[in-house]
Amino acid sequence: AKVDRAESGTAAAPAAPGPVTAGIQKRPWRWIALGLLLILGTAFWWLPSLLPRSAPVAQAPSIAVLPFVDMSQDRSQEAFCDGLTEELLTSLSRVEELKVVARTSAFSFRGHAEDVREIGRKLGVSHILEGSVRRTGDRVRITAQLVNSADGFHQWSDTFDRPFTDIVEVQAEIARAVVSALRIELSSESARDLARGSPPRVAAYEEY
């Protein structure tokens, strides 16, 4: 650079910028970007706490109805057990507030001595309905248990001793008890569908 001698009494020329000042002057965009990043980071940190939190979405209860076990003395009621299981599947599937595993998936566990918690995990359900049937002449005893698949404990169980002609009524009663144990608030349409049914002719029912 051209150098001029300063006259006496003239103010000295400003000193050249040091390394730090020179760096700021040469790269101002880096410091601007750093400031913006700090501002955005602070905003993302605090913004969620300032926004109103939405209520968690309630998960609909789910259930698998396992094939009922024939406990009759002559073990001749397997077909009736399958029919009872399917009727319960049909009744519970009418409840819109309840998710029911398909028949094929549930029946794949027939005769498996497997932990109910493991079955619940494999089927992806919160509850398991299982039970047994013992028939003597024109009377039938049906035992049903609703099990929480998370811990394996019974949530509800009951035994029904009825004439065989009341089988549809028993099916509806079991379905209502399951819904009550799951604390499901039924819509009027679901309540009507759950109670739907008529007493069958015993001979026709057995033939079917």
Side-chain angles (χ1 to χ4, degrees), residues 9-191:
T10 306
V20 176
T21 309
I24 294 175
Q25 292 176 348
K26 290 180 181 178
R27 298 185 296 273
W29 60 270
R30 293 189 179 182
W31 295 96
I32 295 174
L34 180 59
L36 290 175
L37 286 175
L38 289 174
I39 293 172
L40 290 175
T42 304
F44 278 112
W45 180 268
W46 289 104
L47 188 59
S49 62
L50 298 177
L51 294 175
R53 296 184 179 180
S54 57
V57 179
Q59 296 293 327
S62 52
I63 191 171
V65 183
L66 300 185
F68 276 50
V69 179
D70 179 15
M71 299 294 290
S72 301
Q73 189 171 3
D74 56 1
R75 296 294 192 273
S76 61
Q77 299 300 310
E78 183 173 329
F80 170 69
C81 290
D82 289 351
L84 172 63
T85 305
E86 291 198 29
E87 290 288 346
L88 286 170
L89 278 168
T90 301
S91 297
L92 292 172
S93 64
R94 293 175 184 150
V95 181
E96 295 181 359
E97 300 83 354
L98 180 64
K99 293 182 178 180
V100 182
V101 168
R103 173 193 183 278
T104 306
S105 300
F107 272 63
S108 65
F109 290 92
R110 178 202 297 276
H112 287 204
E114 193 166 354
D115 192 308
V116 70
R117 293 170 293 185
E118 184 64 17
I119 295 176
R121 187 190 64 81
K122 290 180 178 179
L123 294 177
V125 293
S126 60
H127 292 80
I128 301 289
L129 179 64
E130 59 182 0
S132 62
V133 171
R134 187 188 304 270
R135 184 178 176 187
T136 304
D138 292 334
R139 295 195 66 83
V140 62
R141 168 176 288 186
I142 299 174
T143 302
Q145 301 99 23
L146 180 68
V147 183
N148 188 323
S149 60
D151 53 25
F153 289 104
H154 282 191
Q155 190 164 336
W156 165 85
S157 63
D158 205 348
T159 300
F160 304 86
D161 288 302
R162 303 289 174 80
F164 188 75
T165 52
D166 294 342
I167 189 61
V168 171
E169 180 184 342
V170 174
Q171 291 165 359
E173 190 172 345
I174 294 174
R176 286 193 297 268
V178 168
V179 168
S180 176
L182 293 176
R183 299 180 181 179
I184 296 175
E185 295 293 334
L186 290 176
S187 63
S188 56
E189 184 176 355
S190 294

